[in-house]
């Protein structure tokens, strides 16, 4: 009876240890993906800022009168 309890305890502990490792690795992959997406968002925001700046400069009344 004691051997069965020890076996079950060791089995449950091993299973939980493996599950913890799996979840940790999955979490690490998700964090890497989030970091990459945040970098892409930052770059796109910088490009958007530059595009808005160009648009404001090119559509300013002074510049339009010079071009016409």
């Amino acid at each position: 009876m004691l051997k069965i309890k020890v076996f079950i305890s060791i089995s449950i502990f091993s299973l939980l240890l493996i599950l913890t490792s799996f979840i940790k690795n999955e979490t690490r992959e998700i964090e890497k993906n989030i970091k990459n997406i945040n970098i892409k968002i930052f770059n796109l925001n910088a490009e958007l800022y530059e595009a808005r700046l160009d648009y404001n400069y090119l559509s300013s009344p002074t510049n339009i009168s010079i071009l016409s």
Side-chain angles (χ1 to χ4, degrees):
M1 190 69 164
L2 182 64
K3 289 184 178 184
I4 293 175
K5 288 183 181 180
V6 169
F7 177 74
I8 291 174
S9 297
I10 291 173
S11 298
I12 290 174
F13 179 75
S14 298
L15 178 67
L16 291 175
L17 188 64
I18 291 170
L19 285 175
T20 302
S21 175
F22 177 74
I23 291 172
K24 183 178 178 181
N25 287 335
E26 289 295 317
T27 303
R28 185 178 296 134
E29 289 295 321
I30 291 172
E31 286 176 347
K32 286 180 185 177
N33 290 340
I34 290 172
K35 182 180 177 182
N36 290 337
I37 289 172
N38 282 336
I39 290 171
K40 288 179 184 177
I41 289 172
F42 177 77
N43 291 336
L44 288 173
N45 279 335
E47 289 178 19
L48 179 62
Y49 174 76
E50 290 177 10
R52 284 182 180 167
L53 194 63
D54 288 343
Y55 174 76
N56 287 336
Y57 173 73
L58 293 174
S59 65
S60 67
T62 307
N63 195 30
I64 291 176
S65 66
I66 292 170
L67 292 175
S68 65

